[in-house]
């Protein structure tokens, strides 16, 4: 019954956590490609090849549906995988669209032409590869007009989180927010466009100030997954759930347990 949740490392746990809370009866297989994280400093071809290999492995383990709980993989690999043709009965979805639908106050799957929306100044925090792809701006342009997006490439934050160095991660977040504010002094909304960043959400919010609405993906993706599974119950899959990693299972389990504040045990992918 497992639905696959994929990330380069630990960030996708923020999506998994929300998905498990929203869908307690669904089994999930979490795959962290920790041996190759961070993806955000790799080129698009490299990210595509790594993502493709992981998604095929999850399909082979019985998942029918794999969620790329990784903006970097969604930006570099999702469209290419979907356009390249998918095996029969298998699907892969990303995490941009639910977030952009929430930002632009659209219902799920509303594909009507772009229109003016309430928010006009948006700060985007993401990995260097996601920022370079401009995938967020492209998806936004399909749905909204007149929105000014200032993107801040947050080098180093994912490495610090993967290493469990939260003091460094906090310092980096503050400096990236300062850099963003020099370019856009008063954003109305901020997008945490990397699934690792919700682990630092309080730091982003404190640095941005209380008047900035911070959007992160966990609950938004969980809601849209619930809606999708209601419409496509055949996507529940057959294989067992659990946690797999390409990295060191003991080390990754320790970090995951620390982040989710519950016992998490990874096995080798
Ligand atoms: N958590 C990922 C994302 O949402 C990937 C971070 C990385 O590996 O650089 O972009």
């Amino acid at each position: 019954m497992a639905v696959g949740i994929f990330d380069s490392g630990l960030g996708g746990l923020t999506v998994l956590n929300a998905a498990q809370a929203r869908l307690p009866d669904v089994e999930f297989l979490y795959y962290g490609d920790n041996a190759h994280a961070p993806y955000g400093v790799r080129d698009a071809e490299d990210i595509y090849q790594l993502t493709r290999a992981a998604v095929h492995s999850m399909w082979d383990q019985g998942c029918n549906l794999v969620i790329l709980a990784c903006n970097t993989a969604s930006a570099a690999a999702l469209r290419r995988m979907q356009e390249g043709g998918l095996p029969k009965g298998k699907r892969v979805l990303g995490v941009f669209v639910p977030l952009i639908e929430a930002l632009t106050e659209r219902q799920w799957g509303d594909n009507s032409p772009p229109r003016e929306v309430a928010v006009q100044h948006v700060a985007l925090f993401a990995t260097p590869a996601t920022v370079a792809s401009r995938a967020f701006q492209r998806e936004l342009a399909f749905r909204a007009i007149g929105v000014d997006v200032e993107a801040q490439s947050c080098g180093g934050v994912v490495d610090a989180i993967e290493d469990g160095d939260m003091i460094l991660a906090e310092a980096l977040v503050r400096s990236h927010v300062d850099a963003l504010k020099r370019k856009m002094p008063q954003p109305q909304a901020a997008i945490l466009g990397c699934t690792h960043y919700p682990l630092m959400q309080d730091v982003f919010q404190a640095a941005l100030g209380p008047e900035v609405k911070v959007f992160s993906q966990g609950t938004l993706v969980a809601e849209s997954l619930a809606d999708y599974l209601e419409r496509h119950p055949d996507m529940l899959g057959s294989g067992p759930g659990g946690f797999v990693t390409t990295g060191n299972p003991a080390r990754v389990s320790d970090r995951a347990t620390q982040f989710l504040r519950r016992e998490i045990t990874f096995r080798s992918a």
Side-chain angles (χ1 to χ4, degrees):
M1 295 269 292
V3 169
I5 306 268
F6 166 77
D7 184 43
S8 61
L10 297 165
L13 292 173
T14 60
V15 172
L16 174 84
N17 214 22
Q20 284 182 323
R22 177 66 182 80
L23 296 160
D25 297 329
V26 172
E27 191 77 42
F28 290 97
L29 176 69
Y30 185 87
Y31 186 117
D33 191 10
N34 301 74
H36 302 110
Y39 278 15
V41 291
R42 294 174 179 274
D43 66 29
E45 179 64 26
D46 208 7
I47 298 166
Y48 169 74
Q49 294 300 345
L50 289 168
T51 304
R52 186 178 180 282
V55 171
H56 276 268
S57 158
M58 295 173 88
W59 283 336
D60 291 345
Q61 291 176 61
C63 298
N64 287 344
L65 172 65
V66 174
I67 307 292
L68 300 184
C70 175
N71 294 269
T72 309
S74 300
L78 181 64
R79 183 178 283 229
R80 196 167 155 193
M81 285 191 73
Q82 288 173 333
E83 287 176 359
L86 303 173
K88 194 170 177 301
K90 304 292 184 186
R91 292 281 180 284
V92 56
L93 298 174
V95 284
F96 277 141
V97 171
L99 184 78
I100 291 172
E101 286 177 341
L103 181 73
T104 56
E105 294 156 24
R106 282 188 177 234
Q107 297 299 317
W108 297 306
D110 171 357
N111 287 326
S112 58
R115 53 181 181 256
E116 282 185 14
V117 292
V119 66
Q120 280 167 350
H121 304 288
V122 176
L124 168 67
F125 296 95
T127 66
T130 300
V131 169
S133 75
R134 297 189 61 81
F136 178 86
Q137 288 89 331
R138 189 178 60 233
E139 290 295 336
L140 184 63
F142 290 136
R143 294 168 179 83
I145 45 179
V147 183
D148 178 19
V149 177
E150 192 63 64
Q152 177 64 32
S153 164
C154 298
V157 177
V158 169
D159 308 63
I161 293 173
E162 288 286 316
D163 288 345
D165 190 343
M166 303 315 268
I167 293 174
L168 175 60
E170 186 171 333
L172 287 168
V173 167
R174 288 187 193 285
S175 86
H176 288 306
V177 170
D178 282 351
L180 182 284
K181 279 183 159 177
R182 285 196 288 277
K183 298 179 282 184
M184 180 182 270
Q186 287 180 323
Q188 294 163 292
I191 302 289
L192 303 189
C194 168
T195 53
H196 282 70
Y197 301 169
L199 294 164
M200 308 300 295
Q201 181 149 350
D202 292 351
V203 183
F204 274 101
Q205 185 73 72
L208 284 159
E211 63 291 343
V212 179
K213 183 167 169 46
V214 174
F215 287 80
S216 73
Q217 288 161 321
T219 47
L220 299 172
V221 172
E223 276 306 324
S224 99
L225 176 60
D227 176 69
Y228 183 86
L229 288 174
E230 207 161 292
R231 288 181 287 114
H232 304 275
D234 52 316
M235 282 295 126
L236 278 167
S238 60
F243 296 83
V244 300
T245 177
T246 55
N248 176 325
R251 190 168 174 273
V252 174
S253 301
D254 281 352
R255 297 259 186 280
T257 299
Q258 178 193 337
F259 288 143
L260 293 196
R261 298 196 182 94
R262 61 184 162 97
E263 191 69 35
I264 306 280
T265 307
F266 276 80
R267 59 183 192 268
S268 282

